[in-house]
């Protein structure tokens, strides 16, 4: 999915992350077969894995360690992020929410299995994410706190409520910004912030990193809304054209494609500049700053 010079580096990092994700997932015993299959169906199906790699490369930009145990810890943070994100997608696709039957180029979890199993698969992934984080030495409790706040009712879940409540409603700039911040930008921002926390950044700097991540997350959701009208279902791996049909609260519906594109670029470049000002200059930070452009300059 990466369009820039770091394409191969990103692809290799994704392979490494996915091996770790697979090994971690397989290590959990005692999950009923059908539930584990449903969780695995959605987890191993070609997601872009942006959140884990954002966490990993932020960590590498800021940490002065290349110890194998530190790499394992940040990969575990990535696994937790990807599990929370995948749970949010499984529930987002349910008939009671966005009612989608295609996700990551495969039938959605409730189509492949059934609604009850899809609800439980999401619940299961969410609990596993916190179990994994809580086991990370030294930073476990703080990381659990970071992710719980970002994914919870005053974060992603709250944003999903507002997204659904505002289908077909009159929109304002500030309302859309609130919805997109809550439902999407939070999880992008916390991915970067958790990488920074594990690298030992102090809390003032963590807040600044999180604010840069929020701008990047807004650009990311703006791109998602734009791709819904400019791309097709095969490229996206999910049904194109659904947002307009459901009259979703998007900037495209509010102000048209051209303005939404302009806004996306503005949020994206300010987020990138803010993040750059908080990072040392090294190979990892240049990779990361290139990667963040793919949050909005992407084709899927
Ligand atoms: C889709 O996220 C949902 C949004 C928050 C817009 P991604 O575009 O990261 O989806 P995957 O993980 O690549 O499938
Ligand atoms: C989803 O936003 C945000 C989540 C918290 C999952 P969308 O509903 O726009 O995501 P897609 O387009 O279905 O991936
Ligand atoms: Mg949705
Ligand atoms: Mg959706
Ligand atoms: Mg969308």
């Amino acid at each position: 999915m990466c369009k820039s010079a770091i394409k191969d580096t990103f692809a290799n990092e994704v392979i490494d992350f996915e091996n770790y994700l697979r090994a971690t997932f397989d290590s959990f015993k005692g999950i009923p077969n059908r539930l584990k299959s449903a969780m695995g169906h959605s987890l191993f199906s070609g997601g872009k894995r942006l959140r884990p790699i954002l966490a990993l490369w932020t960590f590498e930009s800021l940490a002065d360690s290349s110890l194998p145990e530190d790499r394992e810890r940040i990969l575990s943070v990535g696994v937790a992020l990807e599990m929370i994100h995948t749970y949010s997608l499984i529930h987002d696709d349910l008939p009671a929410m966005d009612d989608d039957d295609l996700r990551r180029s495969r039938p959605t979890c409730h189509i492949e299995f059934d609604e009850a199993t899809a609800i439980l698969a999401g619940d299961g992934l969410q609990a596993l994410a916190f179990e994994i984080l809580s086991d990370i030495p030294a930073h476990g409790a703080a990381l659990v706190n970071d992710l719980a706040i970002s994914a919870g009712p005053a974060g992603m879940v709250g944003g999903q409520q507002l997204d659904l409540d505002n289908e077909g409603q009159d929109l304002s700039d500030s309302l859309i910004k609130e919805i997109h911040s809550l439902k999407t930008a939070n999880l992008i921002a916390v991915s970067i912030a958790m990488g920074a926390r594990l690298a030992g950044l102090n809390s003032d700097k963590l807040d600044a990193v999180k604010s840069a991540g929020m701008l990047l997350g807004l650009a990311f959701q703006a791109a998602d809304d734009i791709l819904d009208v400019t791309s097709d279902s095969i490229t996206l791996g999910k049904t194109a054209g659904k947002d307009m049909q459901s009259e979703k609260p998007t900037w495209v519906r509010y102000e048209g494609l051209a303005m939404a594109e302009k806004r996306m670029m503005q949020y994206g470049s300010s987020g990138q500049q803010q993040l750059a000002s908080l990072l040392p200059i090294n190979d990892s930070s240049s990779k990361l700053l290139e990667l963040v452009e793919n949050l909005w300059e992407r084709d899927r």
Side-chain angles (χ1 to χ4, degrees):
M1 83 98 212
C2 244
K3 288 203 276 185
S4 55
I6 47 142
K7 192 169 183 271
D8 292 343
T9 318
F10 181 79
N12 286 331
E13 202 73 277
V14 167
I15 292 172
D16 215 39
F17 168 72
E18 289 192 337
N19 287 335
Y20 191 82
L21 179 66
R22 168 60 75 185
T24 307
F25 183 70
D26 287 351
S27 73
F28 286 97
K29 306 295 175 209
I31 305 172
N33 286 342
R34 184 172 169 79
L35 181 59
K36 197 163 186 185
S37 301
M39 291 159 74
H41 169 83
S42 295
L43 196 56
F44 300 103
S45 56
K48 294 183 287 294
R49 315 306 193 188
L50 276 168
R51 294 156 189 80
I53 311 297
L54 285 173
L56 179 60
W57 287 2
T58 304
F59 172 79
E60 286 179 353
S61 302
L62 291 161
D64 45 14
S65 145
S66 54
L67 296 172
E69 58 266 36
D70 284 335
R71 182 160 173 92
E72 210 169 293
R73 286 175 196 173
I74 187 62
L75 286 173
S76 293
V77 168
V79 168
L81 285 163
E82 193 60 23
M83 284 182 170
I84 289 285
H85 169 56
T86 304
Y87 127 69
S88 81
L89 298 178
I90 296 173
H91 284 194
D92 181 76
D93 290 332
L94 286 167
M97 295 189 68
D98 289 356
D99 193 12
D100 270 301
D101 53 16
L102 184 68
R103 170 67 66 181
R104 295 176 162 174
S105 308
R106 306 176 86 177
T108 45
C109 197
H110 66 274
I111 296 287
E112 184 73 13
F113 294 86
D114 55 76
E115 264 182 64
T117 305
I119 293 168
L120 295 169
D123 294 341
L125 286 169
Q126 174 167 215
L128 283 190
F130 289 112
E131 183 178 343
I132 290 164
L133 280 185
S134 69
D135 275 346
I136 296 180
H139 295 283
L143 293 168
V144 165
N145 194 257
D146 288 338
L147 190 58
I149 290 169
S150 299
M156 183 272 287
V157 169
Q160 290 287 67
Q161 177 75 50
L162 294 180
D163 175 273
L164 294 168
D165 289 348
N166 284 286
E167 285 183 3
Q169 301 298 306
D170 287 345
L171 301 173
S172 69
D173 185 14
S174 59
L175 175 68
I176 302 172
K177 195 169 170 199
E178 185 189 6
I179 295 173
H180 286 14
S181 297
L182 290 175
K183 77 169 185 173
T184 299
N186 261 310
L187 221 52
I188 299 281
V190 84
S191 303
I192 298 172
M194 287 165 84
R197 182 184 290 289
L198 206 61
L201 220 66
N202 69 34
S203 59
D204 283 356
K205 278 209 165 161
L206 276 178
D207 288 345
V209 164
K210 185 115 197 269
S211 304
M214 290 302 288
L215 291 168
L216 295 168
L218 286 172
F220 180 80
Q221 184 62 50
D224 183 80
D225 297 345
I226 289 167
L227 288 168
D228 181 79
V229 296
T230 57
S231 190
D232 56 84
S233 303
I234 304 247
T235 310
L236 292 176
K238 58 186 183 183
T239 315
K242 284 230 40 186
D243 292 346
M244 284 300 177
Q245 201 183 311
S246 312
E247 297 184 78
K248 280 289 190 187
T250 68
W251 278 306
V252 179
R253 176 158 85 81
Y254 173 65
E255 62 193 359
L257 199 52
M259 291 290 287
E261 275 169 351
K262 205 168 150 203
R263 185 190 286 279
M264 170 185 80
M265 302 293 294
Q266 277 165 356
Y267 283 135
S269 51
S270 352
Q272 188 187 33
Q273 273 166 32
Q274 282 191 25
L275 186 61
S277 73
L278 297 162
L279 298 176
I281 297 173
N282 55 37
D283 287 353
S284 299
S285 62
S286 7
K287 273 191 318 191
L288 175 67
L289 293 168
E290 246 185 81
L291 175 64
V292 298
E293 277 174 24
N294 289 273
L295 294 177
W296 65 96
E297 282 176 14
R298 57 192 170 102
D299 58 7
R300 73 182 180 97

